[in-house]
């Protein structure tokens, strides 16, 4: 689904429930770079979520969505598989 650039995830934030968040750059064999945003849950449930942004790439909505999943116990990563933001 496409969302407005300034949209917020429909899940309310929970303060302090995500352990940490990190940006990473992955490089494919052909040299294309992909941005990722990984978040670990403070109290993991054993569930993992991959957030796959729309064609506009990785932007704050998808990073916040990954954070909300982690705040609910699911380790998550958002990956810009279109390589729009790297």
């Amino acid at each position: 689904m496409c969302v407005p650039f300034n949209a917020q995830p429909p899940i309310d934030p929970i303060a302090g429930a995500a352990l940490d968040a990190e940006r990473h750059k992955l490089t494919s064999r052909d040299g294309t770079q992909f941005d990722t945003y990984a978040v670990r849950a403070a109290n993991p449930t054993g569930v993992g979520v991959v957030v796959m942004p729309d064609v506009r790439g990785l932007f704050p909505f998808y990073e916040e969505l990954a954070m909300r999943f982690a705040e609910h116990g699911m380790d998550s990563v958002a990956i810009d598989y279109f390589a729009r933001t790297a």
Side-chain angles (χ1 to χ4, degrees), residues 41-52:
N43 299 307
T45 61
V47 174
V49 175
V50 176
V51 176
M52 301 178 77

Side-chain angles (χ1 to χ4, degrees), residues 10 13 17 19 26 28 33-34 39 42 44-45 47-48 54 56 59 61-62 66 69-70 72 78-79 83 86:
L19 185 60
L26 302 179
S28 68
Q33 291 192 325
F34 299 83
V39 190
T45 61
V47 174
D54 63 32
R56 295 172 290 174
F59 62 90
F61 175 86
Y62 296 106
F69 283 125
H72 285 83
I79 182 167

